[in-house]
Amino acid sequence: MARKVREAQPENHERWLVAFADMMTLLFALFVVLYAIATVNTSKLKQVSESFQGAIGVVGNHVQRGEMPKGPEVRESIFKYIKGNTTRKQTSNSITLERSRIISAQAKKLEQRLAERFPTQNTLQITGKPLQDQTIHVVKEADGIRITMAARNFFELGEAKLKPDAKKIIDVIADSLHDFKQKMRVEGHTDNILFSKKGMTNWELSSLRAVEVTKYLLDTGEIPKENIYAAGFADTRPVANNETADGRAMNRRVDIKILYEQPEDFTSVEDHLENQTFQNK
C-alpha cells in the first residue's frame, strides 16, 4: 500500500513575537524596579531601620545587648563586627592589653634572671643604682623589652671593638635570652659629639658597635641568626640631655630590643608560662 505523503506545513513567520514579548516583560519589570528605587518613602525607611536595629540589640542610641558603638557609629555597627558582639576595636584593645601583660611579666623575669647571674658586689649590679651608673638596664616598652648596655663598659671611646671583660657580660645576657623566640634588634647609639680615633661618623660608629655585639651574640649560639639584626641610630634617639657629661654617657649605649610584633609573640600569658619560657637552666 502506498504511503500517504504529508503536506508541507507553512512556515510560521510570527515566532519572533514570543521572544519580543519576553523582552518587553523584562524591560517593564526593570523600569518598575528603577522607579521604586528612585521613589523613597523616608518614613517607611526609618521604620525599617529602627526595626533592624531593634532586632540586633540597639534601641535608639543605646545598646541593648553586647557592646555595639553608640552615636553615629550605630548605623555602621554591622560592618564593624567580626563575630558575635566583638568589634575590631575591642579585639585590638584586647590584643594590646594582652601584649602589655606579657611584656610586663617577661621584663620582670628577665631582670630577675640577669640580677641573679650578676654578682651584687661589683659594677655588674643592675638594681639599686642611678641609671647613669648602671652597666645594663632593663626597660619595659609598649612594643617590647629593651636591654640597655652602657657603651663605656663595652667599648673604648670612639672604638667599635668589644672589650674582653664586656664579652663576659654579653655571655650572661645571651644565656638569659636563650628561651626568647621573638625578633631582636641590636641598636647602636651615640651622643651628639663627633669623636672617633679612626675618623668615623657617629652613624658608622653606632652601626659598627651594633654589628659587633650582634656578631658576638650569634657566636654564643644562644640566639638563632634569623631572630636578630643590627641597626645604627647615631645621635638621633637620645635618652638624656646631651648638654651634660652624664647625659652624653647615657646616650652612648648599645640596646638589645626584644620585639613583640607577631600574634604568636603575645597569644596569652598562660601559654607562655606553660611553654616554660622563663625556666632557669
Side-chain angles (χ1 to χ4, degrees), residues 116-198:
E116 291 170 359
R117 283 161 170 74
F118 285 139
T120 59
Q121 68 272 18
N122 60 22
T123 56
L124 302 184
Q125 172 69 11
I126 65 172
T127 57
K129 301 176 66 176
L131 184 61
Q132 63 268 21
D133 296 331
Q134 294 183 6
T135 299
I136 62 174
H137 183 60
V138 179
V139 180
K140 171 208 165 186
E141 297 182 345
D143 59 344
I145 303 171
R146 183 178 298 275
I147 304 172
T148 295
M149 303 181 292
R152 64 182 179 276
N153 298 107
F154 294 83
F155 301 96
E156 296 292 347
L157 190 64
E159 294 285 349
K161 184 178 181 180
L162 280 169
K163 295 179 179 180
D165 291 342
K167 295 180 179 180
K168 299 177 182 179
I169 303 175
I170 299 178
D171 284 334
V172 176
I173 295 175
D175 181 67
S176 300
L177 295 175
H178 173 77
D179 294 332
F180 281 78
K181 306 304 180 185
Q182 291 81 6
K183 298 289 184 183
M184 300 180 193
R185 182 175 64 234
V186 181
E187 304 175 354
H189 302 271
T190 67
D191 58 25
N192 63 343
I193 297 177
L194 181 60
F195 176 83
S196 174
K197 296 178 181 179
K198 297 182 179 179

Coordinates of all heavy atoms in Angstrom, one line a residue, residues 116-198:
E116 N 70.2 37.7 89.1 CA 70.7 36.5 89.8 C 72.1 36.1 89.2 O 72.9 35.5 89.9 CB 69.7 35.4 89.6 CG 68.4 35.6 90.4 CD 67.4 34.5 90.0 OE1 67.7 33.7 89.1 OE2 66.3 34.6 90.6
R117 N 72.3 36.4 87.9 CA 73.5 35.9 87.3 C 74.7 36.9 87.5 O 75.9 36.5 87.3 CB 73.3 35.7 85.8 CG 72.6 34.4 85.5 CD 72.0 34.4 84.1 NE 71.5 33.0 83.8 CZ 70.4 32.5 84.2 NH1 69.7 33.1 85.1 NH2 70.0 31.3 83.9
F118 N 74.4 38.1 87.8 CA 75.5 39.1 88.0 C 75.8 39.2 89.5 O 74.9 39.4 90.3 CB 75.1 40.5 87.5 CG 75.1 40.6 86.0 CD1 74.1 41.2 85.3 CD2 76.1 40.0 85.3 CE1 74.2 41.3 83.9 CE2 76.2 40.1 83.9 CZ 75.2 40.7 83.2
P119 N 77.0 39.2 89.9 CA 77.4 39.4 91.4 C 76.9 40.7 91.8 O 77.0 41.7 91.1 CB 78.9 39.2 91.4 CG 79.3 38.5 90.1 CD 78.2 38.9 89.1
T120 N 76.5 40.8 93.1 CA 76.0 42.0 93.6 C 77.0 43.0 94.2 O 76.8 44.1 94.5 CB 75.0 41.8 94.8 OG1 75.6 41.0 95.8 CG2 73.8 41.0 94.2
Q121 N 78.3 42.5 94.3 CA 79.3 43.3 94.9 C 80.1 44.1 93.9 O 81.0 44.8 94.3 CB 80.3 42.4 95.8 CG 81.1 41.4 94.9 CD 80.4 40.1 94.7 OE1 79.2 40.0 94.8 NE2 81.2 39.1 94.3
N122 N 79.9 44.0 92.6 CA 80.7 44.7 91.7 C 79.9 45.6 90.7 O 78.7 45.8 91.0 CB 81.6 43.7 90.9 CG 80.8 42.7 90.1 OD1 79.6 43.0 89.8 ND2 81.4 41.6 89.7
T123 N 80.5 46.1 89.7 CA 79.8 47.0 88.8 C 78.8 46.4 88.0 O 78.1 47.1 87.2 CB 80.9 47.7 87.9 OG1 81.6 46.7 87.2 CG2 81.9 48.5 88.7
L124 N 78.6 45.1 88.1 CA 77.5 44.5 87.2 C 76.2 44.5 87.9 O 75.2 44.0 87.4 CB 77.9 43.0 86.9 CG 79.3 42.8 86.2 CD1 79.5 41.4 85.9 CD2 79.3 43.7 85.0
Q125 N 76.1 45.0 89.1 CA 74.8 45.1 89.8 C 73.9 46.0 89.0 O 74.3 47.1 88.6 CB 75.0 45.7 91.2 CG 73.7 46.1 91.9 CD 72.9 44.8 92.3 OE1 73.4 43.7 92.2 NE2 71.7 45.0 92.7
I126 N 72.7 45.6 88.7 CA 71.8 46.4 87.8 C 70.6 47.0 88.6 O 69.8 47.7 88.0 CB 71.2 45.5 86.7 CG1 70.3 44.4 87.3 CG2 72.3 44.9 85.8 CD1 69.6 43.6 86.2
T127 N 70.5 46.8 89.9 CA 69.4 47.4 90.6 C 70.0 48.2 91.7 O 71.1 48.0 92.2 CB 68.5 46.3 91.2 OG1 69.3 45.4 92.0 CG2 67.8 45.5 90.1
G128 N 69.2 49.2 92.2 CA 69.6 50.0 93.3 C 70.7 51.0 93.0 O 71.3 51.5 93.9
K129 N 70.9 51.3 91.7 CA 71.9 52.3 91.4 C 71.3 53.3 90.4 O 70.3 53.1 89.7 CB 73.0 51.6 90.6 CG 73.7 50.5 91.5 CD 74.8 49.8 90.7 CE 75.9 50.8 90.3 NZ 77.0 50.1 89.6
P130 N 71.8 54.6 90.4 CA 71.4 55.5 89.4 C 71.5 55.0 88.0 O 72.5 54.3 87.7 CB 72.3 56.8 89.7 CG 72.8 56.6 91.1 CD 72.9 55.1 91.3
L131 N 70.7 55.4 87.1 CA 70.7 54.9 85.8 C 72.0 55.2 85.1 O 72.6 54.3 84.4 CB 69.6 55.6 84.9 CG 69.4 55.1 83.5 CD1 69.1 53.6 83.5 CD2 68.3 55.9 82.8
Q132 N 72.6 56.3 85.3 CA 73.9 56.7 84.7 C 75.1 55.8 85.2 O 76.1 55.7 84.5 CB 74.2 58.1 84.8 CG 74.5 58.6 86.2 CD 73.2 59.1 86.9 OE1 72.1 58.8 86.4 NE2 73.3 59.9 87.9
D133 N 74.9 55.1 86.3 CA 75.9 54.3 86.9 C 75.8 52.8 86.6 O 76.6 52.0 86.9 CB 76.0 54.5 88.4 CG 76.4 55.9 88.8 OD1 77.1 56.6 88.0 OD2 76.0 56.4 89.8
Q134 N 74.7 52.5 85.9 CA 74.4 51.1 85.7 C 75.1 50.6 84.4 O 75.2 51.3 83.4 CB 72.9 50.8 85.5 CG 72.1 51.1 86.8 CD 70.6 50.8 86.6 OE1 70.2 50.3 85.6 NE2 69.8 51.1 87.6
T135 N 75.6 49.3 84.5 CA 76.2 48.7 83.3 C 75.1 48.3 82.3 O 75.3 48.5 81.1 CB 77.0 47.5 83.8 OG1 78.0 47.9 84.7 CG2 77.6 46.8 82.6
I136 N 74.1 47.6 82.8 CA 72.9 47.3 82.0 C 71.7 47.7 82.7 O 71.6 47.8 83.9 CB 72.9 45.8 81.6 CG1 72.8 44.9 82.9 CG2 74.2 45.4 80.8 CD1 72.6 43.5 82.6
H137 N 70.6 47.8 81.9 CA 69.4 48.3 82.4 C 68.2 47.7 81.6 O 68.3 47.8 80.3 CB 69.3 49.8 82.4 CG 68.1 50.4 83.0 ND1 67.7 50.3 84.3 CD2 67.1 51.2 82.4 CE1 66.6 50.9 84.5 NE2 66.2 51.5 83.4
V138 N 67.2 47.1 82.2 CA 66.1 46.5 81.5 C 64.9 47.4 81.6 O 64.5 47.9 82.7 CB 65.7 45.1 82.1 CG1 64.5 44.5 81.4 CG2 67.0 44.2 82.1
V139 N 64.3 47.7 80.5 CA 63.2 48.7 80.4 C 62.0 48.0 79.7 O 62.2 47.4 78.6 CB 63.5 50.0 79.7 CG1 62.4 50.9 79.7 CG2 64.7 50.6 80.4
K140 N 60.8 48.1 80.2 CA 59.6 47.6 79.5 C 59.1 48.7 78.7 O 58.9 49.9 79.1 CB 58.6 47.2 80.5 CG 57.2 46.9 79.9 CD 56.1 47.1 80.9 CE 54.8 47.2 80.1 NZ 53.6 47.5 81.0
E141 N 58.8 48.4 77.4 CA 58.2 49.4 76.5 C 56.9 48.9 75.9 O 56.6 47.7 76.1 CB 59.2 49.8 75.4 CG 60.5 50.4 75.9 CD 61.4 50.8 74.8 OE1 61.3 50.4 73.7 OE2 62.4 51.6 75.1
A142 N 56.2 49.7 75.2 CA 54.8 49.3 74.7 C 54.9 48.2 73.7 O 54.0 47.4 73.6 CB 54.1 50.5 74.0
D143 N 56.0 48.1 72.9 CA 56.1 47.1 71.9 C 57.2 46.1 72.1 O 57.6 45.4 71.2 CB 56.4 47.8 70.5 CG 57.6 48.6 70.5 OD1 58.1 49.0 71.6 OD2 58.1 49.0 69.4
G144 N 57.8 46.1 73.4 CA 58.8 45.1 73.6 C 59.6 45.4 74.9 O 59.2 46.2 75.8
I145 N 60.8 44.8 75.0 CA 61.7 44.9 76.1 C 63.0 45.4 75.6 O 63.5 44.9 74.6 CB 61.8 43.6 76.9 CG1 60.5 43.0 77.3 CG2 62.8 43.7 78.1 CD1 60.5 41.6 77.9
R146 N 63.6 46.4 76.3 CA 64.8 47.0 75.9 C 65.9 46.7 77.0 O 65.7 47.0 78.2 CB 64.7 48.5 75.7 CG 66.0 49.1 75.2 CD 65.8 50.6 74.9 NE 64.7 50.8 73.9 CZ 65.0 50.8 72.6 NH1 66.2 50.6 72.2 NH2 64.0 51.1 71.7
I147 N 67.0 46.1 76.6 CA 68.2 45.9 77.4 C 69.2 46.9 77.0 O 69.7 46.9 75.9 CB 68.7 44.5 77.3 CG1 67.7 43.4 77.6 CG2 69.9 44.3 78.3 CD1 68.1 42.0 77.3
T148 N 69.5 47.9 77.9 CA 70.4 49.0 77.6 C 71.8 48.6 78.2 O 71.9 48.3 79.4 CB 69.9 50.3 78.1 OG1 68.7 50.7 77.4 CG2 70.9 51.4 77.9
M149 N 72.8 48.7 77.4 CA 74.2 48.4 77.8 C 75.0 49.7 77.6 O 75.1 50.2 76.5 CB 74.8 47.3 77.0 CG 74.0 46.0 77.1 SD 74.7 44.6 76.2 CE 74.5 45.2 74.5
A150 N 75.6 50.2 78.7 CA 76.3 51.4 78.7 C 77.6 51.2 77.9 O 78.4 50.3 78.1 CB 76.7 51.9 80.1
A151 N 77.8 52.0 76.9 CA 78.9 51.8 75.9 C 80.3 51.9 76.6 O 81.2 51.2 76.2 CB 78.9 52.9 74.8
R152 N 80.4 52.7 77.7 CA 81.7 52.9 78.4 C 82.2 51.6 79.0 O 83.4 51.4 79.2 CB 81.6 53.9 79.5 CG 80.6 53.6 80.6 CD 80.5 54.6 81.6 NE 79.6 54.3 82.7 CZ 78.2 54.4 82.6 NH1 77.7 55.0 81.5 NH2 77.5 54.1 83.6
N153 N 81.3 50.6 79.3 CA 81.7 49.4 79.8 C 81.9 48.3 78.7 O 82.4 47.2 79.1 CB 80.6 48.8 80.8 CG 80.4 49.8 82.0 OD1 79.4 50.5 82.0 ND2 81.4 49.8 82.9
F154 N 81.7 48.6 77.5 CA 81.8 47.7 76.4 C 82.8 48.1 75.4 O 83.4 47.2 74.7 CB 80.4 47.4 75.8 CG 79.4 46.8 76.7 CD1 78.7 47.5 77.6 CD2 79.2 45.4 76.7 CE1 77.8 46.9 78.5 CE2 78.3 44.8 77.5 CZ 77.6 45.5 78.4
F155 N 83.0 49.4 75.2 CA 83.9 49.9 74.1 C 84.8 51.0 74.7 O 84.4 51.7 75.6 CB 83.1 50.4 72.9 CG 82.2 49.4 72.3 CD1 80.8 49.4 72.7 CD2 82.6 48.5 71.3 CE1 79.9 48.5 72.1 CE2 81.7 47.6 70.8 CZ 80.4 47.6 71.2
E156 N 86.0 51.1 74.1 CA 86.8 52.2 74.3 C 86.2 53.4 73.6 O 85.5 53.3 72.6 CB 88.2 52.0 73.8 CG 89.0 50.9 74.5 CD 89.3 51.2 76.0 OE1 89.2 52.4 76.4 OE2 89.7 50.3 76.7
L157 N 86.5 54.6 74.1 CA 85.9 55.8 73.5 C 86.3 55.9 72.0 O 87.4 55.9 71.6 CB 86.4 57.1 74.2 CG 85.7 58.4 73.9 CD1 84.2 58.3 74.3 CD2 86.4 59.6 74.6
G158 N 85.3 56.0 71.2 CA 85.5 56.1 69.7 C 85.8 54.8 69.0 O 86.1 54.9 67.8
E159 N 85.8 53.7 69.7 CA 86.2 52.4 69.2 C 84.9 51.6 69.0 O 83.9 51.8 69.6 CB 87.2 51.7 70.0 CG 88.5 52.4 70.1 CD 89.3 52.2 68.8 OE1 88.9 51.4 68.0 OE2 90.4 52.9 68.7
A160 N 85.0 50.6 68.1 CA 83.9 49.6 67.8 C 84.3 48.2 68.1 O 83.6 47.3 67.7 CB 83.4 49.8 66.4
K161 N 85.4 48.0 68.9 CA 85.8 46.6 69.2 C 85.5 46.4 70.7 O 85.8 47.2 71.6 CB 87.3 46.5 69.0 CG 87.8 45.0 69.2 CD 89.3 44.9 68.9 CE 89.7 43.5 69.2 NZ 91.2 43.3 68.9
L162 N 84.8 45.2 71.0 CA 84.4 44.9 72.3 C 85.6 44.7 73.2 O 86.6 44.1 72.9 CB 83.6 43.6 72.3 CG 82.1 43.8 71.9 CD1 81.5 42.4 71.8 CD2 81.3 44.5 73.0
K163 N 85.5 45.2 74.5 CA 86.5 45.0 75.5 C 86.4 43.5 75.9 O 85.3 42.9 75.9 CB 86.2 45.8 76.7 CG 86.4 47.3 76.5 CD 86.1 48.1 77.8 CE 86.2 49.6 77.6 NZ 85.9 50.3 78.9
P164 N 87.5 42.9 76.3 CA 87.5 41.5 76.7 C 86.5 41.2 77.9 O 85.8 40.2 77.9 CB 88.9 41.2 77.2 CG 89.7 42.2 76.4 CD 88.9 43.4 76.3
D165 N 86.5 42.1 78.9 CA 85.6 41.9 80.0 C 84.1 42.1 79.6 O 83.2 41.5 80.2 CB 85.9 42.9 81.1 CG 87.2 42.6 81.8 OD1 87.7 41.5 81.6 OD2 87.7 43.5 82.5
A166 N 83.9 42.9 78.5 CA 82.5 43.1 78.1 C 81.9 41.8 77.5 O 80.7 41.6 77.6 CB 82.4 44.2 77.0
K167 N 82.7 40.9 77.0 CA 82.2 39.7 76.4 C 81.6 38.8 77.5 O 80.7 38.0 77.2 CB 83.3 39.0 75.7 CG 83.8 39.7 74.4 CD 84.9 39.0 73.7 CE 85.4 39.8 72.5 NZ 86.4 39.1 71.7
K168 N 82.2 38.9 78.7 CA 81.6 38.1 79.8 C 80.2 38.5 80.1 O 79.3 37.7 80.5 CB 82.5 38.2 81.0 CG 83.9 37.7 80.8 CD 84.8 37.9 82.0 CE 86.2 37.4 81.8 NZ 87.1 37.7 83.0
I169 N 80.0 39.8 80.1 CA 78.6 40.3 80.3 C 77.7 39.9 79.3 O 76.5 39.5 79.5 CB 78.7 41.9 80.4 CG1 79.7 42.4 81.5 CG2 77.3 42.4 80.7 CD1 79.9 43.9 81.5
I170 N 78.1 40.0 78.0 CA 77.2 39.6 76.9 C 76.9 38.1 76.9 O 75.8 37.6 76.6 CB 77.8 40.0 75.5 CG1 78.0 41.5 75.5 CG2 77.0 39.5 74.4 CD1 78.7 42.0 74.2
D171 N 77.9 37.3 77.4 CA 77.6 35.9 77.6 C 76.4 35.6 78.5 O 75.6 34.8 78.2 CB 78.9 35.2 78.2 CG 80.0 35.0 77.1 OD1 79.6 34.9 75.9 OD2 81.1 34.9 77.5
V172 N 76.4 36.4 79.6 CA 75.3 36.2 80.6 C 74.0 36.7 79.9 O 72.9 36.0 80.1 CB 75.6 37.0 81.9 CG1 74.4 36.9 82.8 CG2 76.8 36.5 82.5
I173 N 74.0 37.8 79.2 CA 72.8 38.3 78.6 C 72.3 37.3 77.5 O 71.1 37.0 77.5 CB 73.1 39.7 77.9 CG1 73.4 40.7 78.9 CG2 71.9 40.1 77.0 CD1 73.8 42.1 78.4
A174 N 73.2 36.7 76.7 CA 72.8 35.8 75.7 C 72.2 34.5 76.4 O 71.2 34.0 75.9 CB 74.0 35.4 74.9
D175 N 72.8 34.1 77.5 CA 72.2 32.9 78.2 C 70.8 33.2 78.7 O 70.0 32.4 78.7 CB 73.2 32.5 79.3 CG 72.7 31.3 80.1 OD1 72.7 30.2 79.5 OD2 72.3 31.5 81.2
S176 N 70.6 34.5 79.2 CA 69.3 34.8 79.7 C 68.3 35.0 78.6 O 67.1 34.9 78.9 CB 69.4 36.2 80.5 OG 70.4 36.1 81.5
L177 N 68.7 35.2 77.4 CA 67.8 35.3 76.3 C 67.6 34.0 75.5 O 66.9 34.1 74.5 CB 68.3 36.4 75.3 CG 68.4 37.8 75.8 CD1 69.0 38.8 74.8 CD2 67.0 38.4 76.2
H178 N 68.1 33.0 76.0 CA 68.1 31.7 75.3 C 66.7 31.3 74.9 O 66.4 30.8 73.8 CB 68.8 30.6 76.1 CG 68.7 29.2 75.5 ND1 69.4 28.8 74.4 CD2 67.8 28.2 75.8 CE1 69.1 27.6 74.1 NE2 68.1 27.2 74.9
D179 N 65.7 31.4 75.8 CA 64.4 30.9 75.6 C 63.5 31.9 74.8 O 62.3 31.6 74.5 CB 63.7 30.6 76.9 CG 64.4 29.4 77.6 OD1 65.0 28.6 76.9 OD2 64.4 29.4 78.8
F180 N 63.9 33.1 74.5 CA 63.1 34.1 73.8 C 63.1 33.7 72.3 O 64.1 33.6 71.7 CB 63.7 35.5 74.0 CG 63.3 36.1 75.3 CD1 64.0 35.7 76.5 CD2 62.3 37.0 75.4 CE1 63.7 36.3 77.7 CE2 62.0 37.6 76.6 CZ 62.7 37.2 77.8
K181 N 61.9 33.7 71.8 CA 61.7 33.3 70.4 C 61.4 34.6 69.5 O 61.2 34.5 68.3 CB 60.6 32.3 70.2 CG 60.8 31.0 71.0 CD 62.2 30.4 70.8 CE 62.4 29.1 71.6 NZ 63.7 28.6 71.4
Q182 N 61.2 35.7 70.2 CA 60.9 36.9 69.4 C 62.1 37.5 68.6 O 63.2 37.1 68.9 CB 60.4 38.0 70.4 CG 59.1 37.8 71.1 CD 59.2 36.8 72.3 OE1 60.3 36.5 72.7 NE2 58.1 36.5 72.8
K183 N 61.8 38.3 67.7 CA 62.8 39.0 66.9 C 63.5 40.0 67.9 O 62.9 40.6 68.8 CB 62.3 39.8 65.7 CG 61.6 38.9 64.7 CD 62.6 38.1 63.9 CE 61.8 37.3 62.8 NZ 62.8 36.4 62.1
M184 N 64.8 40.2 67.6 CA 65.6 41.1 68.4 C 66.4 42.1 67.5 O 67.0 41.6 66.5 CB 66.6 40.4 69.3 CG 66.0 39.4 70.3 SD 67.2 38.5 71.3 CE 66.1 37.2 72.0
R185 N 66.4 43.3 67.9 CA 67.2 44.3 67.1 C 68.3 44.9 68.1 O 68.0 45.5 69.1 CB 66.3 45.5 66.7 CG 67.0 46.5 65.9 CD 66.0 47.6 65.3 NE 65.3 48.3 66.3 CZ 64.0 48.5 66.5 NH1 63.2 47.9 65.6 NH2 63.5 49.2 67.4
V186 N 69.5 44.8 67.6 CA 70.6 45.3 68.4 C 70.9 46.7 67.8 O 71.2 46.9 66.6 CB 71.9 44.5 68.2 CG1 73.0 45.1 69.0 CG2 71.6 43.1 68.7
E187 N 70.7 47.8 68.7 CA 70.8 49.2 68.3 C 72.1 49.8 68.8 O 72.4 49.7 70.0 CB 69.6 49.9 68.8 CG 68.2 49.3 68.4 CD 67.1 50.0 69.0 OE1 67.3 50.9 69.8 OE2 65.9 49.7 68.6
G188 N 72.8 50.5 68.0 CA 73.9 51.3 68.4 C 73.5 52.8 68.5 O 72.8 53.3 67.6
H189 N 73.9 53.5 69.6 CA 73.5 54.9 69.8 C 74.8 55.6 70.3 O 75.6 55.1 71.0 CB 72.4 55.0 70.9 CG 71.2 54.3 70.5 ND1 70.2 54.9 69.8 CD2 70.8 53.0 70.8 CE1 69.2 54.0 69.7 NE2 69.5 52.9 70.3
T190 N 74.9 56.9 69.9 CA 76.0 57.8 70.3 C 75.4 59.1 70.9 O 74.2 59.3 70.9 CB 76.9 58.1 69.1 OG1 76.2 58.9 68.2 CG2 77.4 56.8 68.4
D191 N 76.3 59.9 71.4 CA 75.9 61.2 71.8 C 76.1 62.1 70.6 O 76.3 61.7 69.5 CB 76.8 61.7 73.0 CG 78.3 61.7 72.7 OD1 78.6 61.8 71.5 OD2 79.1 61.7 73.6
N192 N 75.9 63.4 70.8 CA 76.0 64.4 69.7 C 77.3 64.9 69.4 O 77.5 65.8 68.5 CB 75.0 65.5 69.9 CG 75.4 66.4 71.1 OD1 76.2 66.0 71.9 ND2 74.8 67.6 71.2
I193 N 78.4 64.4 70.0 CA 79.7 64.8 69.8 C 80.4 63.9 68.8 O 80.4 62.6 69.0 CB 80.5 64.9 71.1 CG1 79.9 66.0 72.0 CG2 82.0 65.3 70.8 CD1 80.6 66.1 73.3
L194 N 81.0 64.4 67.8 CA 81.7 63.5 66.8 C 83.1 63.3 67.3 O 83.9 64.2 67.3 CB 81.7 64.2 65.4 CG 82.3 63.4 64.3 CD1 81.6 62.1 64.1 CD2 82.3 64.2 63.0
F195 N 83.4 62.1 67.7 CA 84.7 61.7 68.2 C 85.0 60.3 67.8 O 84.3 59.4 68.2 CB 84.8 61.9 69.7 CG 86.2 61.4 70.2 CD1 87.2 62.3 70.2 CD2 86.3 60.1 70.7 CE1 88.5 61.9 70.7 CE2 87.6 59.7 71.2 CZ 88.6 60.6 71.2
S196 N 86.0 60.1 67.0 CA 86.4 58.7 66.6 C 87.9 58.7 66.3 O 88.4 59.6 65.6 CB 85.6 58.3 65.4 OG 86.1 57.0 64.9
K197 N 88.6 57.8 66.8 CA 90.0 57.7 66.6 C 90.3 57.3 65.1 O 91.4 57.5 64.7 CB 90.6 56.6 67.5 CG 90.5 57.0 69.0 CD 91.1 55.9 69.9 CE 91.0 56.3 71.3 NZ 91.5 55.2 72.2
K198 N 89.3 56.8 64.4 CA 89.5 56.4 63.1 C 88.8 57.2 62.1 O 88.6 56.8 60.9 CB 89.1 54.9 62.9 CG 90.0 54.0 63.8 CD 89.6 52.5 63.5 CE 90.5 51.6 64.4 NZ 90.1 50.2 64.2

